[in-house]
Amino acid sequence: MSPSFLGVLKSVLAGIPKPYATNGAEARGLEARNFLYITMVFGPRYVPYIQRFVHRAEAFGISNLVLFCLDDAALDTCLSLGRGDRCVPGTPSILNKFTLPLIYLWLNIDVFWLDFDIFLLQDPTPFILGEAQWRSVDLLVSGSFADDCICSGLVFFKATKVVAEWLLLLLSWMYEHVYTHDQQAFSAFLAGRPDEDNSTSPESISSSKLFKLYLEPVVPRWALLDPVNEFVSARVLNTTGWTGTMEKLVIFHFLHGDSEVNRDHTAYGWNAHSGFDGGTSLPLLDVFYNQSDDQVYREPLRPKQFNKVLQQALLASRRTERPKDMLHCGVLQLNPYSPGRQSADG
């Protein structure tokens, strides 16, 4: 048994997943289920903020959080906070973004995946579980503000046979095609079924003929999490941002982008030197997790209760309105003279 799988079992046996009730799949009364938040973290850029990430979640009552710790420093920090049964050891790989959810799905536990570069603005649980029940979907995915792409940084996976088999096929494809970007592959594997609002376009991957002819993935029913005023992204590209009121914000995704795995990639640091900086030279990761007053990490403060620095950081990404004509999702060329996605032709 691998240390990672053993860590998963320990978290389940320790009761980290929280029980909840929802409508049964066939309208036969209530169904008892279990729900878990998971993220992964490693590297000197992120490890120092593990404590505040966890405390911010706990401030909203989110004790059902598991951290996939992909280096010794991350694991040691996680263990030092107590409740070591929520600390799953592992090694760096982008595939872990899908392997960990898949294991919990096999154990019949619903999962909400969080990228680590996010900040909770209120408890997302009622929004996620309520949306999944209301729309009768098994998959919820975050989206984009000004184009019709999905974003795999926030994903709710319901533990059903269809979701588990679909995710296993996606993971297998990524394992065999290491050059495919994880979000591009995720989007392509949703192509067999449009989202419930038919508001997104799938990206394509190589060997598409073989993909369609032989794999034929059964895609679960899925919908977008609101990317406009609830599950929003920082304005670091021309297609990102949010509009509406701060009171309705649920999760703010920094799109930090500088993965430790990709630190030698030519695009490393793009957000820092080309993105929308919101009037500060500090990355949003540091703005939100390195405040001198730690009250925002210990108490469930909402945006109206934030200090001016955090409020300004949120408002710097706010736009007056969402574009009526969305850019089409696909491989886009970045124009060095005007940062962000411009069009399908660059």
Side-chain angles (χ1 to χ4, degrees):
M1 186 181 298
S2 72
S4 297
F5 187 62
L6 180 60
V8 167
L9 294 182
K10 285 182 177 179
S11 70
V12 175
L13 294 174
I16 300 297
K18 277 187 178 180
Y20 76 99
T22 185
N23 289 336
E26 299 179 4
R28 296 178 181 174
L30 292 178
E31 176 186 10
R33 305 190 65 84
N34 288 287
F35 179 52
L36 188 67
Y37 287 88
I38 58 177
T39 189
M40 67 181 183
V41 57
F42 71 105
R45 193 69 188 85
Y46 300 95
V47 168
Y49 297 138
I50 289 177
Q51 181 179 22
R52 288 183 162 180
F53 185 97
V54 170
H55 286 173
R56 179 67 178 170
E58 290 177 338
F60 286 112
I62 300 174
S63 59
N64 53 328
L65 169 66
V66 164
L67 290 82
F68 206 0
C69 305
L70 305 187
D71 63 16
D72 291 339
L75 183 60
D76 291 343
T77 302
C78 184
L79 292 172
S80 72
L81 301 178
R83 294 302 304 272
D85 39 33
R86 67 182 168 195
C87 310
V88 177
T91 55
S93 170
I94 192 60
L95 296 180
N96 286 329
K97 189 170 183 174
F98 305 115
T99 54
L100 193 64
L102 181 60
I103 295 299
Y104 283 110
L105 295 181
W106 277 339
L107 296 174
N108 205 32
I109 296 168
D110 300 340
V111 166
F112 187 55
W113 171 269
L114 299 165
D115 276 0
F116 194 79
D117 61 334
I118 60 97
F119 198 77
L120 296 177
L121 301 173
Q122 56 180 303
D123 180 8
T125 306
F127 294 88
I128 300 160
L129 300 183
E131 188 79 2
Q133 176 175 301
W134 173 66
R135 310 208 69 172
S136 298
V137 296
D138 295 337
L139 193 69
L140 290 167
V141 187
S142 54
S144 182
F145 181 79
D147 61 30
D148 59 6
C149 299
I150 60 101
C151 174
S152 58
L154 303 171
V155 184
F156 170 74
F157 300 92
K158 191 173 182 180
T160 66
K161 185 174 184 290
V162 172
V163 173
E165 291 182 350
W166 174 85
L167 186 57
L168 176 60
L169 197 59
L170 166 61
L171 183 61
S172 302
W173 174 274
M174 290 185 63
Y175 186 83
E176 297 292 342
H177 300 78
V178 295
Y179 49 80
T180 305
H181 188 275
D182 62 287
Q183 184 164 288
Q184 184 184 15
F186 196 98
S187 176
F189 268 74
L190 291 171
R193 183 178 205 145
D195 65 89
E196 290 297 293
D197 297 310
N198 200 23
S199 60
T200 61
S201 295
E203 296 193 60
S204 60
I205 52 180
S206 60
S207 305
S208 57
K209 291 184 178 179
L210 293 176
F211 176 75
K212 293 177 181 178
L213 286 173
Y214 299 109
L215 293 181
E216 296 185 306
V218 177
V219 181
R221 290 190 63 181
W222 67 287
L224 282 183
L225 295 164
D226 172 38
V228 178
N229 199 188
E230 292 180 356
F231 298 86
V232 304
S233 299
R235 189 178 174 180
V236 295
L237 297 171
N238 281 2
T239 56
T240 56
W242 64 277
T243 193
T245 63
M246 287 198 299
E247 291 79 11
K248 291 185 178 180
L249 296 173
V250 180
I251 292 180
F252 187 50
H253 191 181
F254 309 144
L255 299 177
H256 191 68
D258 294 345
S259 168
E260 298 285 343
V261 175
N262 297 320
R263 57 183 174 269
D264 295 326
H265 193 278
T266 55
Y268 184 81
W270 172 264
N271 289 348
H273 67 253
S274 298
F276 186 86
D277 62 11
T280 175
S281 59
L282 286 175
L284 287 171
L285 182 73
D286 298 317
V287 172
F288 277 86
Y289 282 109
N290 198 24
Q291 293 294 303
S292 57
D293 183 357
D294 67 353
Q295 183 184 14
V296 72
Y297 314 113
R298 293 182 289 103
E299 300 178 16
L301 300 185
R302 299 286 296 276
K304 273 201 168 181
Q305 301 167 297
F306 287 176
N307 61 33
K308 289 185 178 180
V309 173
L310 293 182
Q311 287 187 1
Q312 289 171 355
L314 285 174
L315 292 173
S317 289
R318 189 182 183 277
R319 297 171 180 262
T320 55
E321 61 181 358
R322 192 184 196 191
K324 294 180 180 179
D325 297 322
M326 306 288 281
L327 292 180
H328 182 65
C329 194
V331 178
L332 302 172
Q333 180 182 351
L334 293 174
N335 185 336
Y337 299 103
S338 181
R341 292 179 167 180
Q342 305 299 306
S343 70
D345 301 320

